[in-house]
Amino acid sequence: MKTQDLGGQARHDMMADPDHDAYSRERFVQEYVWQINGHYHQGNYALHDKKLKPRDGSALSVQEQRKKVLAEPYGQMWSSLRRVAREWTCEAVGPSVERQLDELIDKARQYRQSNRKLGSLMLDPTVKVPGYVDVDIHLKPGGYHTELTEDDVFAGAEYERTTYMNTNGLLGPRMDKLGKQVADWVKATYPNLKPKRILEVGCTIGQSTIGWKEAFPDAEVYGVDVAATSLRYGHARAEALGCAIAFSQQDAEHTNFPDGFFDIVASHAMIHETSRKALRGIFAESHRILKPGGLMLHNDGTPFRDMKHPIDRLIPDWDTHYNAEPFITQMRSMDLAEFAVEAGWPKGSTSNTYADEVVGADAARTVSGGACYMVVGRR
C-alpha cells in the first residue's frame, strides 16, 4: 500500500506543526511502519502456509499460532521490527509537540474561555482512571491520560498526529471516517430515526465524534472520556474545526446522564481498550441512558471468527502481548451480542453487524474502503 503523505492530514489552529526535520523523521517512521505492517507481514502468511499449518486440516488456536510464529527466525525478526515501529511513533512526534506545548495550552484556554465557543468542556478531577487505561497503551509513555503540566494537552496533540501516521491516513484527513461510516449506516438502515442527542464514549480527542455531528447537524452531540488532557485538546480541536460538541470527563460505566437521555450511544475502537468487567458495565450503562427505540453501536476490530486467514489474527493478538492492549485477544474472541445480553440487554435486541461504507446520493450500501464491525443494540 502506498504511504499517504502526512501533508494530507487536515490542518487547523490546534495542530502541532512539525518543522522540516521533524516532518522528515515522521515520514521515515510512517514508511517504516507500513513496510513492517505490509510487505514484511506478508511473510507471516507464507510462513504459516508452508511450515506452520497443521497437516491434518485442524486449526491452530490464536495463542498457538502466535507462539509458533515467534519461535521462527522470520517471526522473531518481524516482531522485533514491529515493536521498534510502535516505539518510534511517539518518539518521532513527541518532541515537536513538546516544543509547542505552551502555545497549544494557551490556545486551548482561549477556546474554553471564549464568549463565542460552540461547544463545552466539563472536567471532573474526582474521576478515577480505570486500571485498564492506566497502562502505556500503544506503547505511548504515560498513556493518554497522564498530565505533564497544568491544563495539559500534550497527549491529545500527540495522538492526533501519531494516529494519522499509524493508520496511514486511512481514517481520512480529520480521522473522522469511523464516525461518518457508522452514522451513514444508521441513516441508511434507520431512515426514520431522527436523533436529538448522540453520545460517543471513550472519545479521546473527538475525531469520530465530529463525524457524528456532521452527519446529524441538528442533534446535540456529546463525547466522554476519562482523560482530561485528551478532552482539553479535543474540545479546542472541535472549536477550531467549527464543530459544537459537549465534552465531559466521565467513566463510560458510570455516567451522570439521566435515564433514557440519548437516541444513540456509540464508540469507535474503544472497547478493546477496556476489560471484560468494564465492558459489561459499559453495555449496561448504554442500555440505561438510551431512549426506547434508541441505538447502541460499539464499533471495533473484526472478530477472529470472521477473519479469512488464520494469520489475520496475528497482529491484534501480538498487540495484546507487545503493544500494551491486554484485552484485544479476549474481546475479538467473544460474541459481543451475546455478552450484551448477559449485561442486561433483552434477548434478541442485539446483533453482530458490519457497517459497509455508504457511498452515493441514494445511500446504497456498497463497500468502499471496507466494512467495519460493530455490536448493535436496539433499546
Side-chain angles (χ1 to χ4, degrees):
M1 180 182 296
K2 183 179 179 181
T3 304
Q4 299 296 312
D5 188 345
L6 289 168
Q9 186 168 17
R11 318 308 291 174
H12 54 76
D13 186 47
M14 277 302 297
M15 178 152 311
D17 287 312
D19 59 21
H20 174 273
D21 289 352
Y23 182 80
S24 296
R25 184 166 55 249
E26 290 178 25
R27 284 281 290 165
F28 169 79
V29 172
Q30 184 189 31
E31 182 64 41
Y32 176 88
V33 167
W34 280 87
Q35 286 294 324
I36 302 306
N37 290 343
H39 175 73
Y40 286 97
H41 181 49
Q42 292 302 310
N44 291 320
Y45 290 89
L47 177 64
H48 174 274
D49 293 344
K50 293 179 180 179
K51 189 173 183 178
L52 304 182
K53 184 178 180 181
R55 296 188 180 185
D56 61 3
S58 62
L60 296 172
S61 70
V62 176
Q63 293 78 8
E64 289 172 335
Q65 175 183 268
R66 170 176 40 82
K67 290 177 181 179
K68 284 183 176 293
V69 169
L70 298 188
E72 297 290 330
Y74 185 90
Q76 292 168 4
M77 178 196 71
W78 168 81
S79 180
S80 297
L81 293 174
R82 180 170 165 80
R83 172 77 182 201
V84 169
R86 302 304 299 176
E87 292 173 345
W88 276 358
T89 303
C90 289
E91 291 178 10
V93 172
S96 65
V97 175
E98 188 173 7
R99 283 194 294 271
Q100 301 169 67
L101 185 56
D102 289 344
E103 179 184 353
L104 294 174
I105 288 173
D106 286 342
K107 285 182 180 179
R109 285 173 179 154
Q110 291 171 23
Y111 279 116
R112 291 199 302 276
Q113 297 166 2
S114 172
N115 292 327
R116 290 187 253 176
K117 61 178 174 288
L118 303 171
S120 61
L121 175 66
M122 298 293 293
L123 300 180
D124 182 357
T126 68
V127 171
K128 294 182 179 179
V129 174
Y132 58 79
V133 174
D134 196 14
V135 296
D136 293 350
I137 296 174
H138 303 160
L139 303 186
K140 174 186 164 33
Y144 298 109
H145 64 281
T146 298
E147 301 271 346
L148 302 180
T149 187
E150 185 179 359
D151 288 344
D152 188 27
V153 297
F154 179 89
E158 185 184 66
Y159 174 90
E160 178 159 30
R161 281 172 46 203
T162 57
T163 300
Y164 186 88
M165 180 191 302
N166 281 325
T167 60
N168 204 30
L170 294 178
L171 296 181
R174 295 191 300 184
M175 301 192 302
D176 54 2
K177 180 181 176 181
L178 291 177
K180 285 184 174 180
Q181 185 164 334
V182 176
D184 285 345
W185 179 88
V186 169
K187 286 182 173 182
T189 308
Y190 301 96
N192 294 324
L193 179 62
K194 307 298 181 186
K196 294 182 179 180
R197 299 190 188 97
I198 299 169
L199 170 68
E200 182 185 3
V201 296
C203 66
T204 319
I205 64 169
Q207 72 273 16
S208 294
T209 324
I210 287 177
W212 280 99
K213 180 61 179 178
E214 293 191 339
F216 295 101
D218 295 331
E220 296 176 6
V221 178
Y222 298 71
V224 302
D225 202 281
V226 296
T229 177
S230 295
L231 289 169
R232 289 190 199 99
Y233 182 81
H235 169 260
R237 177 181 185 270
E239 295 292 315
L241 291 171
C243 212
I245 308 290
F247 290 98
S248 59
Q249 186 179 10
Q250 300 195 53
D251 185 332
E253 292 184 73
H254 311 287
T255 71
N256 62 13
F257 299 112
D259 294 355
F261 191 68
F262 291 102
D263 299 282
I264 294 173
V265 174
S267 71
H268 300 282
M270 182 275 290
I271 60 176
H272 74 265
E273 308 287 14
T274 62
S275 68
R276 189 179 183 90
K277 179 181 178 182
L279 187 54
R280 187 186 300 274
I282 291 167
F283 283 167
E285 183 70 350
S286 298
H287 187 272
R288 181 187 73 80
I289 60 180
L290 275 172
K291 295 177 180 178
L295 283 174
M296 173 181 76
L297 304 140
H298 291 296
N299 154 228
D300 215 292
T302 304
F304 287 148
R305 64 180 177 273
D306 293 346
M307 291 183 171
K308 295 179 180 179
H309 193 286
I311 286 295
D312 292 340
R313 307 173 302 179
L314 180 61
I315 285 182
D317 186 49
W318 185 95
D319 284 344
T320 295
H321 298 274
Y322 303 107
N323 198 37
E325 299 183 86
F327 189 51
I328 290 182
T329 295
Q330 186 177 168
M331 188 277 292
R332 293 208 189 193
S333 301
M334 296 167 64
D335 185 317
L336 294 182
E338 289 185 2
F339 189 70
V341 172
E342 291 181 28
W345 281 78
K347 193 171 181 62
S349 66
T350 61
S351 62
N352 296 299
T353 308
Y354 283 86
D356 293 343
E357 188 170 2
V358 177
V359 295
D362 59 353
R365 277 184 227 154
T366 58
V367 179
S368 174
C372 58
Y373 165 78
M374 57 191 175
V375 57
V376 177
R378 190 77 192 266
R379 179 75 158 84

